[in-house]
Amino acid sequence: MAFQAPKGVSEYVPPRSALFEEAREAFATSARRACYGAVETAVFEDTALFVRGVGESSDVVSKEMYSFADRGGREITLRPEFTAGVLRSLLEHNLHKGALPVKVWTSGPAFRYERPQAGRYRQFYQFDLEAIGTEDPAVDAETIAVAWDAYQSLGLRQYTLLLNSLGDKTCRPVYREALQKFLRALDLDEETRQRIEINPLRVLDDKRPDVRAQLANAPVMTDYLCAECKAHYDTVRALLDDLGIPFTDAPRLVRGLDYYTRTTYEFDHALLGAQSGIGGGGRYDGLSEDIGGPPLPGIGFAVGLDRIVLAMEAERAAAGTQSTPAACQVFGVPLGAEAHADVLTLMTNLRRAGVNADMAFGARGLKGALRAADRSGAAFAVLIGAEERRAGTVSIKDLKTGDQQDVAAAQATDWLIERLGTQ
């Protein structure tokens, strides 16, 4: 074939796409249970939204954005992250003028020009959750709990919650000055020295070993928190203790985007190597004003669905469990052209009852149809031929044990639902 997906694009096809769906649905379910509503927002935005919102000094804006002029001469950027666009949408549609906080979630692709590697793509997928309009530390803990519960529902266990506070406009300038003084004395390249003057916190996020070694004794934000920020942070920590969510204080944790304030957190997975971050978030209490809106505090998180799939595969492989969930529960096998209608009717009844059901199509022989049933991952195969049609029965084969028995056709749906419920 002449065409392939562009370099750095993550794509999912069966059977692996079932893991992707499982991950996305786990987070959507957890968000719905906390009464977050779904939104769908623009995949591309005015470039200035990200420059002003994400921060001109961030790597995302300075190096990674897919920006272009459209046919009308407008400067457009494919979204590199969700928060700025979601907040823009909520302000544009005046949701902030109603009951607060506004709690929403969304998911979809985002785009950054990066060097492709496992867990890092140019088109990648995120689940995003935002709570707009309150400074209450309880909502900070709530967002963390929504993510935590989703990870748990997926069976993930080998991850760690890292927690920090980045202060606010009152205390951060004092810390910024102390950090700049420390950094200016280090042996750093010219680009990093320029970053010290623009946003010194971003230097703390440098992954190069030689730089990290020099940062060992750098001052930390938690030593400079004002009374209000310290009280906020202590409350978040106490609430997480109450919720039974373990965390690790990470005083050097900063996020890659410039809008974060106060509570900042990240989930790291032990089996993913260098690309260990599977999600993170924090407060962005000044972002609304940065993009031209009213003062409006907010907090949220984004999780990388691509990396979550990798984490699911790694943990399930380590445990020796099936990596990909079965997409099919019952597989119908018509024995002869006359039986196709009966099999399709039964499969449709099962689907309407909430069972995942498929069938063999075309003039496939019994052996080939049973091989297809095995490949589908189904628990049961249902065989209908001329003999079963005359007797008003179906023949049901347990594909794990090989046991086979006849069941009255009128009772087959209930019989299968009952057996599936006990597995």
Side-chain angles (χ1 to χ4, degrees), residues 67-99:
S67 301
F68 56 93
D70 70 6
R71 294 190 178 187
R74 294 170 286 264
E75 290 297 322
I76 298 296
T77 294
L78 300 179
R79 65 184 176 206
E81 60 93 47
F82 279 82
T83 301
V86 170
L87 181 55
R88 186 272 310 153
S89 180
L90 298 186
L91 293 172
E92 183 175 340
H93 294 282
N94 294 314
L95 270 68
H96 63 295
K97 295 181 179 179

Side-chain angles (χ1 to χ4, degrees), residues 172-188 192-193 195-201 203-204 214-215 217-220 224:
R172 193 188 291 181
V174 180
Y175 171 63
R176 175 191 171 98
E177 185 176 342
L179 181 59
Q180 284 178 319
K181 182 178 179 180
F182 174 86
L183 295 175
R184 287 169 184 149
L186 301 183
D187 181 18
L188 301 171
T192 306
R193 288 195 170 281
R195 181 168 287 169
I196 293 171
E197 307 309 318
I198 301 172
N199 187 349
L201 270 71
V203 180
L204 297 179
Q214 296 186 70
L215 296 174
N217 297 318
V220 294
Y224 290 80

